[in-house]
Amino acid sequence: MERNTFRTIILSAAFLHCISIFPADNYTSYVDPRIGTGGHGHVFYGANVPFGFVQLGPTQHTRGWDWCSGYHHSDSILIGFSHLHLSGTGVGELGDILFLPVNDATINEVTFTHDNERCIPGYYSILLDFPKGGQVKTELTATNRTGFHRYSFSSEIDTARINIDLKRGIGWDKMIYCDIHQLSPRKISGCRLSQGWANKQQVFFVAEFSQDVEMRRLNQDTLTQIVFKNKAPMLVKVGLSSVSCENAELNLKQENPGWDFDSIVTKANQLWNEQLGKIKITTNNPSLKKTFYTSLYHTMVAPSTFCDYNGQYYGADGKIHHGTFNNLTTLSLWDTYRAWHPLSTLIHPEMQNDIAQTMLHIYQEQGKLPVWHLMGCETNCMVGNPAIPVLADMILKGFQVDKSLALEAMKKSAGSDKKAYSLLTEYGYIPYDLLPSNESIGKGMEYAIAYGSADKAFPNEGFKRLADSYIHYFDVHTGFMRARAKNGIWRESFDPFAVELNHIKDYTEGNAWQYIWLAPHDVHGLINLFNGKSRFASKLDSLFIVKGDLGADAPPDITGLIGQYAHGNEPSHHVAYLYNYIGQQWKTAQRVREIMETQYHNGIDGLCGNEDVGQMSAWYVLSSIGIYQADPAGGKYLFGSPLFDEIVINVGNGNTFKIVVTNNNDQNIYIQSVRLNGKKHPYSYINFKDIAEGGVLEMEMGMKPSKFGTKQKYCP
C-alpha cells in the first residue's frame, strides 16, 4: 500500500469514527481537550473516563514548567504513551508505564504533527511517521483502571515493535526499581517504583496482546521491546494497580475482558456524556458552549480512583488496606477547596461520602488530614490545612460524615508545617522571625480559613481563636496584611507589589495586594478592619486597577492579572464576589463578566493559568451559571452574572434545579430581579439547601445596575 493512501484511509477512518459516536445532542461533542494544552494550562491530553485511575495519553520530554502534565502543544516530539498523568498541576509527576510503537530497535522518540492528532473524551489517536519509512496509527482508550491500545502499522513494516520504558517519567519522577516478565506468549507483567513529588510511588501492571509476542530486554529491565509480526492491528490491554500484579490482572479481567476496542471507546464516551449532562445549558453562542463543556470536562479528570476492583488500596502508611468506599487520590486541596468542592457537592453528591472517607482514612493512616495527596503519599505541597474546609462544608450541608472522627482529625492535624502551626497556637499569629521557612502570612491566613470553617461546623470546640488569627496581620496604616515579629513589630521592609523582597517571601504565591482579601470565612470581620464598607469598597476597586511590578522572583503561577487581581492563581478566586457582602452586587457582575471574557476562551491557550486539578475550570463553571460559593464552608452561593439563557442542574436524588435567565446578552450583565419557585427572592445569594432540593430560579437581566442586592439585610 502506498504511504499517502495509508494516511488518507487512516485519517478518514478516525474522522468517521468521531462522527459515529457524536450525535448532535451529545455533550461530549462540545468538548475540545486541546484547550489548555498550550500556554500555562498544564492539562492532561489523552484518553480516560471521569475520575479514572488510568489517564492514557501522549508523553513528551520534560522541557520545563509547562510540561508538568507530560504534554505541551508547542512540542513535536513524543517519547511514548504513558498510563498515568496529572492535569493542571504546578509540579510534574507520574508518566508511568510508557509504551512507544516503533519499527526499528534503535528508536526511542518520534516526531509528530498536530494535524495527525485526534482527541475526544475517552479516545485519542495519532498517525506517526517513522524516520526510516513506514507509519503507525496509535489509538488509545481507557476504563477506570485499564488502558487499551490499538496499533495499525503500514504494510511495508514486516516486523513491528513496541517499546516498554519503565525508567522515564515526568518532571521530578525518578525510577528507583522496576521489573518485567513474560508470563505467556501473549502476556507480560511488571512493576515500577519511583520517587519524586510522591516519595514512594508504586505501580504494578499486566499487559495482554492480541497476538503472540517476543520480549527482548534492551537495557536490563528498564527498556524492553515487544516484537511481533505485523498482523495489523495489534491490540494491547493494560491493567494497573498500586497494590500488586495480581490486582492489576483482576482489574483487567473485570473491566475489559474482551477485545472490542470500539465498544470500550463507546462506553468511555457514554460515561463522559452522563457526567457532562449533569448540567444542561441553553445558549445561541457555540463558543461559550465549547468553553463551558470543556471546563466541566476538566473538572472531572480528578480526583482519581485509587483502589482496585476488589477494594484494596495502597495506604498513606505504606500498607495495603481494604475499603468499602471508592478511595481517591490526586487531592489538590489548597486549590480545590475554593470552587471544585462546592461545585461537586451540587453535581456529584454521590461522591461526597467517598471524598470524606478517603480524607479521614488518610488521617488515620498518616496522623493528619491530607494536604496534597498523590498516589498514597503526602507531598505536603502548599500551606495550611485545606482538607478542613472540605469536611466542614460537607458537614454543614448534611452529607454523611463521621463527625466524631472529623472533629478529632481537625484538632490533631497540624497541616503541612508543624512549626508554623505551633507558633500560631502559641502567639495567636505566626511571627516571621521565628519561622525560618518564611511565608508566615500565607500559612497563617490559610490556617485561619481552615479553622474558621471548623468553627462553623463545630462551634464551641475551641477553633474561634485560630479562625480570628488573620486580624493580627492587618496593618491599619497601610491597609495590608503584613508580617510581624514575635514582639509585634511589623517587618521593616515592605512593598505591596513584590512577591519576594530581599529574598524574603511572606506570602504564598502572591503579594500583599492579593492577600488582603484572604478571609472568605469572615468577610464582615475583614470589612470591620477597614472601618466600614466605604473604605473596603475603595480598596477593592483599587485592586482591579492598580499597576505594579511583582518582581523578578515572582513564580509563574501568578498570571491572569487584572490590575493586581490574579485569576491565574487560587487565592484571588473569591475576590470578585466580595462586593456582594457590601451591597454592591452589580460590581460583582461587572468583574465576573470581565474575568470570564478575558481569562477563558476556546483556544489552545484558553486558560490564563495552570488548571490546578479542576479548580480553574470549576470557577468558570459556577460563575458562568451565575453562582459561586465564596465562603468555602456553609453553602451560601453568591449571585454573579450568568452567561446562559437556561441552566438545568441534576443535583441528585431525582431533583433538578433550573435557572431561567431572561433578557440575557453581552450588554445585559446586571441582575434586575430574582424569583425562587415563583416567589420574589431579594437576597444576593442562595442557600445550598434550596438548590439541592430542586426548583426554579428566575433571573431578569438588564443593561444598567439595579437596586438588587443593595440592601444590607439581603446580603450574605
Side-chain angles (χ1 to χ4, degrees):
M1 182 181 294
E2 290 185 0
R3 184 167 174 169
N4 289 340
T5 304
F6 182 76
R7 179 188 298 274
T8 301
I9 290 174
I10 280 182
L11 292 181
S12 298
F15 179 71
L16 291 172
H17 179 76
C18 292
I19 290 177
S20 69
I21 64 173
F22 274 165
D25 59 348
N26 195 313
Y27 302 105
T28 56
S29 67
Y30 308 119
V31 174
D32 185 353
R34 296 175 302 169
I35 296 174
T37 60
H40 300 312
H42 298 189
V43 300
F44 164 68
Y45 189 56
N48 64 332
V49 296
F51 310 112
F53 177 53
V54 169
Q55 293 162 11
L56 176 57
T59 302
Q60 302 165 339
H61 293 287
T62 299
R63 305 186 191 276
W65 187 64
D66 282 326
W67 277 259
C68 285
S69 73
Y71 180 96
H72 194 267
H73 190 269
S74 64
D75 207 341
S76 60
I77 297 176
L78 294 181
I79 62 172
F81 305 96
S82 48
H83 290 75
L84 299 177
H85 291 83
L86 294 174
S87 186
T89 56
V91 178
E93 180 63 287
L94 303 184
D96 300 77
I97 321 302
L98 185 74
F99 280 41
L100 177 67
V102 297
N103 68 338
D104 185 276
T106 63
I107 296 175
N108 60 13
E109 63 181 33
V110 181
T111 59
F112 74 102
T113 171
H114 296 296
D115 292 339
N116 293 336
E117 274 187 306
R118 298 289 182 271
C119 189
I120 56 180
Y123 173 82
Y124 172 89
S125 72
I126 189 169
L127 180 64
L128 299 174
D129 292 315
F130 294 125
K132 297 181 181 180
Q135 298 170 299
V136 61
K137 180 188 178 185
T138 297
E139 298 174 275
L140 309 173
T141 188
T143 68
N144 190 351
R145 303 171 181 89
T146 79
F148 205 176
H149 309 235
R150 182 162 65 186
Y151 299 109
S152 301
F153 290 84
S154 56
S155 59
E156 68 267 31
I157 300 174
D158 180 55
T159 302
R161 297 170 168 86
I162 300 172
N163 287 348
I164 301 179
D165 190 340
L166 299 181
K167 181 177 182 179
R168 289 193 282 192
I170 296 170
W172 293 6
D173 183 86
K174 180 181 179 181
M175 188 274 294
I176 57 174
Y177 174 80
C178 68
D179 192 19
I180 189 168
H181 296 282
Q182 185 161 7
L183 304 178
S184 71
R186 297 191 178 189
K187 184 185 295 185
I188 64 171
S189 68
C191 67
R192 181 178 190 270
L193 278 65
S194 62
Q195 289 181 334
W197 197 13
N199 61 6
K200 191 179 180 183
Q201 176 190 335
Q202 58 184 39
V203 180
F204 301 87
F205 73 96
V206 169
E208 294 184 12
F209 300 84
S210 60
Q211 56 180 282
D212 290 355
V213 300
E214 176 189 350
M215 191 180 84
R216 300 176 182 174
R217 299 177 189 268
L218 301 183
N219 183 15
Q220 295 181 349
D221 290 333
T222 64
L223 182 61
T224 300
Q225 197 164 84
I226 303 299
V227 183
F228 53 95
K229 289 293 183 181
N230 183 15
K231 300 176 183 178
M234 164 63 93
L235 300 175
V236 189
K237 301 185 298 183
V238 184
L240 268 67
S241 167
S242 65
V243 174
S244 66
C245 288
E246 291 76 15
N247 277 15
E249 186 166 19
L250 172 67
N251 293 337
L252 192 57
K253 288 180 178 179
Q254 294 294 331
E255 294 187 5
N256 189 7
W259 290 97
D260 190 341
F261 184 90
D262 290 336
S263 72
I264 298 299
V265 173
T266 300
K267 289 177 183 178
N269 178 260
Q270 290 171 344
L271 289 172
W272 277 114
N273 197 49
E274 290 170 6
Q275 292 295 325
L276 294 170
K278 288 183 174 181
I279 304 181
K280 302 176 182 179
I281 61 170
T282 301
T283 177
N284 292 323
N285 188 327
S287 177
L288 287 181
K289 209 165 192 177
K290 187 175 181 181
T291 303
F292 176 83
Y293 280 108
T294 303
S295 296
L296 191 57
Y297 165 80
H298 283 150
T299 69
M300 299 178 188
V301 175
S304 306
T305 296
F306 194 62
C307 59
D308 293 325
Y309 189 86
N310 60 9
Q312 290 185 325
Y313 68 91
Y314 175 63
D317 54 2
K319 300 177 182 179
I320 304 304
H321 296 266
H322 185 278
T324 57
F325 61 99
N326 186 37
N327 191 55
L328 299 165
T329 189
T330 321
L331 303 177
S332 181
L333 293 165
W334 184 84
D335 305 293
T336 57
Y337 83 76
R338 306 168 200 267
W340 189 93
H341 283 281
L343 172 64
S344 77
T345 60
L346 291 177
I347 65 173
H348 304 303
E350 73 285 353
M351 284 185 67
Q352 302 312 302
N353 180 58
D354 292 332
I355 294 171
Q357 289 217 50
T358 293
M359 293 196 297
L360 291 174
H361 277 80
I362 289 172
Y363 158 69
Q364 292 176 315
E365 292 158 11
Q366 70 178 22
K368 67 178 181 181
L369 287 167
V371 178
W372 210 124
H373 228 256
L374 178 62
M375 298 294 289
C377 303
E378 182 55 74
T379 71
N380 282 316
C381 190
M382 307 313 297
V383 298
N385 212 326
I388 289 179
V390 177
L391 283 172
D393 191 44
M394 284 192 276
I395 291 169
L396 291 166
K397 289 175 178 176
F399 288 102
Q400 182 180 356
V401 178
D402 185 333
K403 294 182 181 180
S404 176
L405 184 58
L407 177 59
E408 175 189 315
M410 290 177 183
K411 286 186 172 182
K412 292 186 178 180
S413 294
S416 58
D417 191 328
K418 292 183 178 180
K419 175 70 172 178
Y421 180 78
S422 65
L423 292 173
L424 175 64
T425 56
E426 180 179 354
Y427 288 86
Y429 64 97
I430 302 175
Y432 73 83
D433 53 341
L434 297 180
L435 189 68
S437 59
N438 297 314
E439 294 184 87
S440 62
I441 297 175
K443 293 171 181 176
M445 299 285 280
E446 288 290 346
Y447 276 126
I449 294 171
Y451 290 102
S453 301
D455 186 54
K456 292 172 184 174
F458 297 105
N460 306 315
E461 286 291 343
F463 295 121
K464 189 69 168 69
R465 178 172 176 261
L466 295 176
D468 292 342
S469 61
Y470 75 94
I471 67 176
H472 297 292
Y473 304 110
F474 187 77
D475 177 7
V476 67
H477 299 293
T478 63
F480 290 101
M481 300 293 176
R482 293 184 58 186
R484 63 194 313 172
K486 62 180 180 180
N487 60 6
I489 303 299
W490 304 111
R491 188 193 293 277
E492 185 175 350
S493 58
F494 177 68
D495 179 350
F497 296 99
V499 175
E500 291 189 32
L501 192 61
N502 301 325
H503 304 292
I504 295 170
K505 183 167 61 174
D506 291 325
Y507 311 94
T508 302
E509 295 184 4
N511 64 15
W513 269 105
Q514 291 142 19
Y515 267 77
I516 311 169
W517 320 104
L518 200 60
H521 65 292
D522 185 26
V523 178
H524 289 293
L526 184 62
I527 294 169
N528 290 337
L529 294 180
F530 282 90
N531 289 322
K533 294 187 292 183
S534 177
R535 292 183 180 180
F536 181 86
S538 178
K539 192 80 169 187
L540 188 53
D541 290 341
S542 298
L543 172 71
F544 293 94
I545 300 170
V546 67
K547 305 293 183 183
D549 188 356
L550 298 176
D553 296 321
D557 304 74
I558 307 176
T559 55
L561 289 173
I562 302 174
Q564 287 297 294
Y565 172 87
H567 193 71
N569 211 24
E570 280 62 34
S572 289
H573 276 190
H574 67 289
V575 175
Y577 287 90
L578 296 181
Y579 286 110
N580 283 45
Y581 289 85
I582 56 174
Q584 296 182 1
Q585 194 280 330
W586 60 276
K587 286 186 180 178
T588 286
Q590 280 183 340
R591 291 303 180 188
V592 167
R593 283 279 182 137
E594 179 183 9
I595 295 165
M596 288 190 287
E597 290 171 1
T598 62
Q599 308 304 318
Y600 298 85
H601 62 85
N602 59 17
I604 300 300
D605 59 345
L607 292 169
C608 69
N610 56 318
E611 169 65 11
D612 279 315
V613 197
Q615 168 62 26
M616 189 72 68
S617 290
W619 186 97
Y620 182 86
V621 169
L622 285 170
S623 295
S624 67
I625 65 177
I627 59 176
Y628 190 84
Q629 184 177 307
D631 184 341
K636 280 186 170 60
Y637 291 81
L638 282 59
F639 293 141
S641 181
L643 295 180
F644 311 116
D645 301 327
E646 183 176 286
I647 304 104
V648 180
I649 308 170
N650 181 346
V651 292
N653 300 314
N655 298 327
T656 59
F657 187 76
K658 180 186 288 188
I659 303 174
V660 179
V661 186
T662 57
N663 300 324
N664 188 40
N665 57 45
D666 292 342
Q667 290 75 42
N668 293 354
I669 68 172
Y670 301 106
I671 298 174
Q672 306 296 301
S673 64
V674 175
R675 299 180 71 84
L676 177 61
N677 297 325
K679 297 180 180 180
K680 183 178 179 181
H681 185 82
Y683 302 93
S684 63
Y685 63 92
I686 183 171
N687 289 312
F688 170 81
K689 183 173 181 289
D690 292 322
I691 301 175
E693 289 178 348
V696 178
L697 186 77
E698 300 169 89
M699 289 184 175
E700 183 181 356
M701 310 300 289
M703 291 183 64
K704 297 180 180 180
S706 70
K707 292 184 179 180
F708 177 79
T710 57
K711 293 185 179 180
Q712 193 63 49
K713 64 179 179 179
Y714 299 131
C715 295

